[in-house]
Amino acid sequence: MTKFSLTAWALRRPVTITMLFIAMLLLGAVASKLLPLEMWPGLDIPQITVQVPYQGSSPREVEREITSVLEESLATLGGVKKMRSGSNQDEAWVRMDFAWEEDIGNRVVEVRERIDSVRHLLPDDVERLLIWQFATSDAPIMTLRLSSQRDLSAAFDLLDKQLKRPLARLDGISRVELYGVEPMQIHIRLSPEKMLARGVNQHWLSSQLQQQNFVLTAGTVRTGEQLWQVSQQGEFNSLASIEQLMIRKDLLLGDIAEISFSQPEPEEGRHLNRAYAVGLDLFKESGANLVEVAERVRPVLERAQQSPQFDGIELFVMDDQAKGVKNSLNDLAQAGGIGALLSFAVLFLFIRNPLTTAIIVISVPLSIAITLGLMYLLGYSLNILSMMGLLLAVGMLIDNAVVVSESVLQQPPENRRQAVISGVDNVGLAVLAGTLTTAIVFIPNIFGVKVELTVFLEHVAIAICFSLLASLLISRSLLPLLLFKFCHFGQSAQQLESTRYRRLLSWTLSHPKTSGAMAIIILASTALPVSKVNNGDDEDGQDRLYINYQLEGRHQLEFSEAMINRMEDYLYQHQQEYGFHSIYSYYATDDIQTTLLLNDELPLPLPELKQKIAAGFPKYAFAEPVFGWQDNDNNGMRVHLRGRSTETLLELAAEVVPLLSSIDGLSDVRSDLSGGQQELLIRFDRQRLAQLELSLQQSAATVATALRGENLRSYRHDVNGEIEIRLQWPKRWQQSRAKLSQLPLGKVNGTVVTLQQVATISEQPRLNEIRHFNRQTSIAIGGNINDRDFNDLKQEIEQRLQSIAWPEGYGYSFGGGFEYQDESQALMATNMLLAVVMIYIVMAALFESLLLPTAVISSILFAITGVFWTFFITAQSMSIMAMIGILVLMGIVVNNGIVLVDQINQRKPQLETLQQAIIDAAVGRLRPVLMTVATTILGLLPLALGDTRIAGGGPSYTPMAIAIIGGLIVSTATSLLLVPYLYLILSRWRNRCAQGVSAIWQRQQQQVPNRLK
């Protein structure tokens, strides 16, 4: 039975092969249009958040009545890595982080079941429990701000009809959120004086109003052959119907209350360029093309902007995912295009034949087209990670074509068909091994332990592996066919005769002890850069600065806005000096933030600019502005203080923050919680209430309605949809403590009973929020890291923290960038070791040798040496992106060694002629080695020299590109000498071992007859 050869079959069926690759090229072209274009791959984030809105309470009460109940129930869930919670006056929330391997859909069901089991233990007035599960597709694709000098707080109908609804109707838009402006409400403002005069109890009135506004199905009525559905309507259908509602026989609601259609009281506000602003977020449907959806949005925005109703209203795009993706893709395409041109140019310089160069180069677009087709068929999306994989693969896709073409063109031209088959077969094993080793380094990341890094790296790996397998297929089928049809054998297969390289290699092989010592010295030199290169964070591109005011206490909204105005006035006085083009601010009663949107070109380096801006911050009595932390919890410095009491933790935080602020390389150190808030505590006298025959519960409900109001059933007969109905008291009862004490609770024996008669009102400090970490009370202290080694910084922080006298039961732990870097780097190091083992296994299986793969593996060690020396010289930090570069590098550097070892094996030299055979094979492989290395390096050079970033503003590709280039240069320079050297040493060692074993065996065989005698 003859052995099947893909190359021979391709030569026999040229039309079939041509049509197959044209079909795959067309599939790739179609797939490039049909593949969903997204910022990130569609992934379910392994995180579930339970949110319980509960306004008007204290953090302690919320913690006791809601948060602790939920935590105790949810603690029995399996697979929870972290549990965090918060309790404040508006809500309780519990957030659980799971492992990436978990089926998050099943976990959501389990969370819902556990919440349902303790629902009866929560306060009766808890209306809703929300369960949130996030995916990468849940982020808004576009965030808009609408600003105007005129008041937009009453512009809900305009923005809803002219902007929100037209956007929501667009194909691909799933929802549109409008915030910062509220719809009109129906306010029923009770007059306590009139209620007392008419003898109306508020609790009774509230229940009556809840019962009046209803729709109730009554069943069916049959009349002969007809069946009638009976519906009972008792809804309000106009403001007049509410005013004319008869409460008692002689009393209408309008007699004791003022009913109005008015704007709700604002709870927060926004500024854009010192004008009042409104926010708008757009979300796309799952699977929709991000860029296409964004293109549909822009005409709607332009039409709205041109409408006379929008005169004086400015539309400003704060965030645009589509723009970030397009910028990232353009940057990658530009860098990839420049790199490809440089690679093709150097390829032509080596080959000096345009036709041969074109035939080799054609493998790149074909491989990418096949990859896009496979991604489409397998349900993947085209995102910045898969584009990153394609870009990394461009320089490697030529390798197989170069090796095969060089081998084919060196064959004698007498029998062209046999020359092609022999040329491909001669390097077939080496090409297969090189492709598998390049792809196999990603196997631990695809199938191993899942963390955020490896999950996202999987999509990079898929693109690389698909494209490499496509290039392997092309090198065994289409490329030999094109070489057979168009190339002249023997004319383009000129070896790069290097006398210097031959002499140097001969000297290296002839002086094994000296060469080995030099190799050891080179490896040992790695200790110097390893000790000097910092472990750093992947810094995101800085196009904006965040200012956090660290507001103490709660203040009226007008007071918060006044602080914003002072800050904005200061910043705009130095706009040119500070290099920003816009300012966006958010303010509420307990939170204030300002965002500076920076120009592309900054007047100063960012750390110096931040210091200069901070030096002129306005001084506030109740706030201390500082720059915000780096964007997410995986960046920067985080130290979690844990213990029993939040008050004690705040005291410890006040001691820790100054200690950490004085550390060089740490900036903007602060706690995520602040004290300084005050609350009024009302303690009812139960005995006094009983004497007056007043209900404690009804009295408390009366106070709550007077201060925060009460929601009634919605009004459903407005053309704009449902309108909330609020039952409230006049605002004057909220405006002073003295007025609150005079709040009437009822009338007893003709005498009005006020709050101060049955309760004491006292002032006491209160917390803004109570945080838990893994069910233990905690506070996070964070800061930004500037040019410091993570390990050194962590040690210095630990030294400072150990100088504090920690109370019994209190301690700290590290989070943020420390935790993320430790976890990611440890996993990457483990995966690298697994990759080395898998590379060895593949080579051992293909070479049928346990020793020879060791010669090739050595190139990985010298590649890592090159990485650290390159980082030391270029002052780069060892970050996650750099480690990704090392991972890719490990699969690349062994390729040349594999081909060299395979060429030597094919010569089958005797030990006496082995050294000369090694020299001849190495010199013969010099040109293709230099060609493949040069194309890979030049393909990545634009990324190394430029500032191309993930998603346009994320981590830079530069550390990854520099790691690959530096490691590849050093590894190539050393491997050209040390791989042949180690092959010779290992072959001699193997021969000596075999001779020794043979001698021992012969002696034993000679001794056996003697013993028998």
Side-chain angles (χ1 to χ4, degrees), residues 584-596:
Y584 168 71
S585 297
Y586 167 85
Y587 57 94
T589 58
D590 58 352
D591 186 25
I592 308 177
Q593 298 176 7
T594 294
T595 303
L596 275 70

Side-chain angles (χ1 to χ4, degrees), residues 418-466:
Q418 187 57 42
V420 172
I421 295 174
S422 299
V424 174
D425 288 345
N426 286 345
V427 294
L429 182 64
V431 169
L432 176 62
T435 303
L436 291 180
T437 53
T438 304
I440 208 168
V441 296
F442 295 102
I443 296 299
N445 292 283
I446 296 176
F447 299 105
V449 177
K450 296 296 184 183
V451 297
E452 181 180 347
L453 174 63
T454 57
V455 167
F456 284 97
L457 192 59
E458 176 183 343
H459 293 262
V460 179
I462 290 295
I464 293 177
C465 293
F466 282 174

Side-chain angles (χ1 to χ4, degrees), residues 569-580 612 616:
D569 290 341
Y570 154 68
L571 293 172
Y572 269 104
Q573 290 172 6
H574 305 84
Q575 182 173 5
Q576 297 300 323
E577 184 181 353
Y578 294 162
F580 64 88
K612 188 173 183 179

